[in-house]
Amino acid sequence: MERYYQPEIECASRETILAWQNERLCKQVKNVWDNVPYYRRKMEEKGLTPDDIRGVEDLHKLPFVTKDDLREAYPYGLVARPLRDCVRIQSTSGTTGKRVVAFYTQHDLDLWEDCCARAIVAAGGTHEDVCQVSYGYGLFTGGPGLNGGSHKVGCLTIPTSSGNTERQIMFIRDLNATILCCTPSYAAYLGETMKEMGLSPDEIPLKAGIFGAEAWSEEMRRSIQETLGIKAYDIYGLTELSGPGVAFECSEQSGMHINEDHFIAEIIDPQTGEVLPEGSQGELVFTSITKEAFPLLRYRTRDICVLSRKSCSCGRTHVKMSKPRGRSDDMLIIKGVNVFPSQIETVLLAQGYQANYQMIVDRVNNTDTLEVQVEMTPENFSDNLAQITQMEKSLVAALKAMLGIYAKVRLVAPKSIARSEGKAVRVIDKRKI
Amino acid sequence: MTIHQISVFLENRAGQLAEITGVLAQKGIDLRAINIAETSDYGVLRLIADNPQAAATTLLEQGFILSMTPVVAVSVPDQPGGLAKVLDVLAKENIDVEYMYSVFGQVNGLAHMVFRVADTDKLISVLKDNGLEPISSENLGIR
């Protein structure tokens, strides 16, 4: 029997959902017009006032918000509430080192945790469950989001955060964790490790997993489900909108229900910005209609996917999005962390290297790896090997500081990085996703 | 009394050394000494050529990254304890050897060692004070 966290919302009729969206959108537009000069200016540039937006059918009139806007408005430019009303920030990396900082009121946190709770219940979670949250805690939204959702469902929550595989496995076994929340690659890694320890799926207490923050394939789902003996559910979200739980999978495991009472989804042509008819593949755009502190109108996610309103056997009525099939920009998700090639360029130039580089992304033992190949320069060369090694180390440290993840640096001979017809190939992604 | 060593950046991949020695051979450049320091990914090739200028120009034209490094060559008796004696002198004078290597072949029972230190002038004067003579470029057949 399908269970819901908020059945009256999750299974509401289309008309009801649309009525909520109409009302909340108008209110939100009025809110940003009154409280966020940045939005007001953008609307004025288009000759719009809040009166022009009478409902979802007018949404397309509003200007888009992009990561560039977030950078320009950093840190407070898009905050719609006085800071004394805000209780939390979360943060993710931006395009050139400036981080995206999202603000939350207590009410925002509540709604976000509700969304995560819906995902946990959709994965079969109840207050009888023990939920191990192995997403990173901190600025990253994965840990805090699922932690809050798990509390709302009433699960016994184990906040292991990421890393320390031995301890993760110890808690899963000793405390009989039944639900695991982490990145799919970490789930696969945990599975492989337990297999190597000689544990069969029957000996692993887990029954479900909620995995997100990075792309994964159906093949990967099958292999995780097999090694851990669980059902593996996808979850989607962005720090800019709240975090995980913007959309989540149900028992059908075929696309993620978008929480439409909080987010209006559109699919646009990434080139022209035109809204595409239902069922088309294009860039996903979100409007957060219930956010108090950090509302975003028509935020371009750069994720390419398809929306479907086909009725779902789980009984939920909210629109479903497919797994993102790619990006309309050059952002990579490595170990669940957003990485832009421009960030690497910034570090290289600051460290006296030229912007000739190549990023090799791979997945080894189910873990993402990043290698940055950098051409040696005359200025950075020395006859003393220790000096080169030292410089290499400081480059690794600077990359870690910028990206938040370890990148192996490989110094290569000058001109050895292929220059292909004008546009350099900066990224080689060998991951089979 | 210093000698010009050419230091070349090496990427660890098959064929790099063959490429370097190949282009030098084509220009008729003879190598007097060669030494490599490496990590698993890259290395530094240090070489002493009979014609340092020509060698450097050739390698630069081929796109290699290099630097000219002043080093000092010293004759040591090619017998047990020969090198130890020189190193002993350097240790007493507190001269830190960054690296060293030997020149190909020996002359009149003497082997030649190349030293890289921070203060080349100090090394030369210490050697002379201790009756050890640095070898000139000419005596190593370097133009």
Side-chain angles (χ1 to χ4, degrees):
Chain A
M1 233 257 311
E2 189 77 27
R3 298 168 39 83
Y4 315 96
Y5 177 66
Q6 292 165 310
E8 72 291 353
I9 296 173
E10 295 174 62
C11 303
S13 70
R14 287 301 320 157
E15 295 70 37
T16 308
I17 294 173
L18 191 62
W20 287 334
Q21 289 188 334
N22 286 333
E23 185 208 327
R24 290 169 188 179
L25 174 64
C26 295
K27 222 169 116 192
Q28 189 69 289
V29 170
K30 178 91 171 56
N31 172 34
V32 300
W33 174 270
D34 289 340
N35 296 308
V36 187
Y38 192 93
Y39 271 118
R40 191 183 189 125
R41 200 169 56 245
K42 280 191 76 140
M43 284 177 64
E44 281 172 345
E45 279 166 15
K46 285 208 136 193
L48 293 170
T49 69
D51 292 339
D52 293 308
I53 311 299
R54 282 151 316 194
V56 177
E57 78 276 9
D58 293 326
L59 185 59
H60 69 275
K61 295 178 186 170
L62 288 167
F64 291 115
V65 174
T66 65
K67 258 209 159 96
D68 286 341
D69 288 306
L70 300 189
R71 193 172 62 220
E72 213 177 297
Y74 174 91
Y76 301 129
L78 291 173
V79 182
R81 283 295 161 98
L83 290 184
R84 63 172 177 276
D85 293 345
C86 299
V87 298
R88 172 92 67 82
I89 69 138
Q90 300 288 156
S91 175
T92 185
S93 63
T95 40
T96 52
K98 239 317 128 55
R99 295 185 67 88
V100 171
V101 177
F103 296 76
Y104 304 73
T105 62
Q106 185 56 52
H107 184 64
D108 290 335
L109 290 180
D110 264 351
L111 298 189
W112 174 26
E113 290 171 4
D114 282 343
C115 289
C116 291
R118 289 180 196 173
I120 292 170
V121 173
T126 71
H127 63 274
E128 305 286 347
D129 281 294
V130 176
C131 179
Q132 183 155 323
V133 182
S134 310
Y135 281 114
Y137 280 62
L139 291 171
F140 180 56
T141 51
L146 270 309
N147 187 80
S150 174
H151 282 194
K152 288 229 168 183
V153 176
C155 303
L156 173 58
T157 310
I158 313 178
T160 45
S161 192
S162 52
N164 199 336
T165 302
E166 217 173 288
R167 193 174 63 194
Q168 301 276 3
I169 295 172
M170 182 194 88
F171 278 128
I172 291 174
R173 299 182 67 195
D174 294 356
L175 301 181
N176 288 309
T178 48
I179 299 175
L180 175 66
C181 306
C182 61
T183 59
S185 52
Y186 196 56
Y189 180 71
L190 283 172
E192 289 305 319
T193 310
M194 285 194 260
K195 198 171 167 184
E196 276 165 27
M197 290 166 65
L199 292 172
S200 73
D202 301 343
E203 294 168 287
I204 302 169
L206 293 172
K207 62 174 195 193
I210 299 170
F211 307 131
E214 66 187 15
W216 52 311
S217 59
E218 280 306 317
E219 208 181 320
M220 196 163 169
R221 187 204 304 264
R222 266 194 300 279
S223 118
I224 293 173
Q225 294 193 146
E226 243 164 65
T227 46
L228 289 174
I230 61 172
K231 274 193 96 173
Y233 299 89
D234 203 355
I235 186 166
Y236 176 88
L238 293 82
T239 304
E240 294 90 322
L241 294 170
S242 60
V246 170
F248 61 91
E249 261 184 353
C250 60
S251 54
E252 219 180 59
Q253 291 180 307
S254 64
M256 295 171 274
H257 290 284
I258 293 170
N259 286 311
E260 287 189 281
D261 50 329
H262 301 305
F263 307 102
I264 303 177
E266 298 170 275
I267 292 287
I268 62 158
D269 178 330
Q271 257 75 52
T272 64
E274 289 298 309
V275 177
L276 297 176
E278 211 172 292
S280 314
Q281 175 168 307
E283 184 183 328
L284 187 57
V285 171
F286 277 114
T287 299
S288 47
I289 46 178
T290 50
K291 260 299 194 73
E292 292 181 339
F294 200 69
L296 291 181
L297 301 186
R298 303 197 85 201
Y299 181 66
R300 291 188 61 165
T301 64
R302 302 288 173 183
D303 282 325
I304 303 290
C305 72
V306 178
L307 297 184
S308 161
R309 292 201 185 279
K310 263 192 267 167
S311 77
C312 186
S313 63
C314 79
R316 288 179 185 78
T317 47
H318 294 228
V319 68
K320 285 207 292 203
M321 61 177 275
S322 67
K323 270 181 192 297
R325 293 169 183 178
R327 299 272 309 169
S328 69
D329 64 2
D330 58 359
M331 188 181 92
L332 293 152
I333 300 180
I334 304 172
K335 293 184 188 167
V337 173
N338 299 351
V339 174
F340 293 90
S342 55
Q343 293 176 304
I344 291 184
E345 206 163 305
T346 307
V347 171
L348 290 180
L349 292 173
Q351 296 270 321
Y353 294 89
Q354 291 176 333
N356 271 320
Y357 63 95
Q358 207 158 47
M359 301 163 62
I360 317 285
V361 189
D362 206 344
R363 194 163 274 179
V364 182
N365 295 328
N366 290 309
T367 306
D368 290 346
T369 60
L370 169 62
E371 175 178 294
V372 179
Q373 296 190 349
V374 191
E375 290 185 355
M376 187 50 132
T377 59
E379 297 73 39
N380 282 347
F381 178 63
S382 160
D383 65 307
N384 188 332
L385 193 70
Q387 227 164 307
I388 301 179
T389 312
Q390 194 48 49
M391 297 216 331
E392 187 189 9
K393 273 191 194 146
S394 72
L395 181 54
V396 168
L399 285 170
K400 171 99 204 243
M402 169 69 91
L403 306 174
I405 54 167
Y406 168 75
K408 178 186 163 46
V409 165
R410 191 185 182 88
L411 294 167
V412 298
K415 310 221 166 48
S416 61
I417 291 172
R419 279 127 172 101
S420 59
E421 302 86 47
K423 200 172 186 321
V425 179
R426 291 278 172 246
V427 180
I428 297 176
D429 199 336
K430 297 177 173 170
R431 292 176 294 186
K432 290 179 188 73
I433 295 170
Chain B
M1 291 304 259
T2 58
I3 288 169
H4 297 299
Q5 166 192 287
I6 301 173
S7 316
V8 191
F9 178 72
L10 276 186
E11 199 185 316
N12 254 6
R13 69 178 158 80
Q16 270 249 289
L17 276 174
E19 203 181 315
I20 292 174
T21 49
V23 293
L24 294 177
Q26 266 176 15
K27 297 278 177 173
I29 292 164
D30 193 25
L31 296 177
R32 289 282 173 269
I34 197 162
N35 166 264
I36 294 179
E38 85 285 337
T39 70
S40 55
D41 293 334
Y42 56 85
V44 178
L45 168 69
R46 298 149 183 161
L47 56 89
I48 292 178
D50 64 345
N51 188 341
Q53 281 313 323
T57 312
T58 304
L59 292 174
L60 280 173
E61 278 168 5
Q62 295 295 317
F64 286 100
I65 283 193
L66 55 84
S67 64
M68 290 292 230
T69 315
V71 291
V72 175
V74 189
S75 306
V76 297
D78 195 356
Q79 66 190 42
L83 177 60
K85 199 180 135 202
V86 179
L87 290 174
D88 201 35
V89 168
L90 300 191
K92 275 192 188 118
E93 294 291 337
N94 238 343
I95 294 178
D96 186 22
V97 178
E98 281 183 25
Y99 54 83
M100 62 171 201
Y101 51 97
S102 65
V103 179
F104 300 144
Q106 56 145 268
V107 186
N108 301 330
L110 293 172
H112 304 308
M113 290 302 298
V114 173
F115 290 92
R116 164 73 162 144
V117 296
D119 188 343
T120 313
D121 291 340
K122 184 181 173 192
L123 172 63
I124 292 171
S125 80
V126 162
L127 288 171
K128 284 180 173 168
D129 290 350
N130 286 274
L132 295 160
E133 193 61 24
I135 316 165
S136 65
S137 297
E138 294 77 31
N139 286 342
L140 278 180
I142 299 170
R143 272 173 274 165

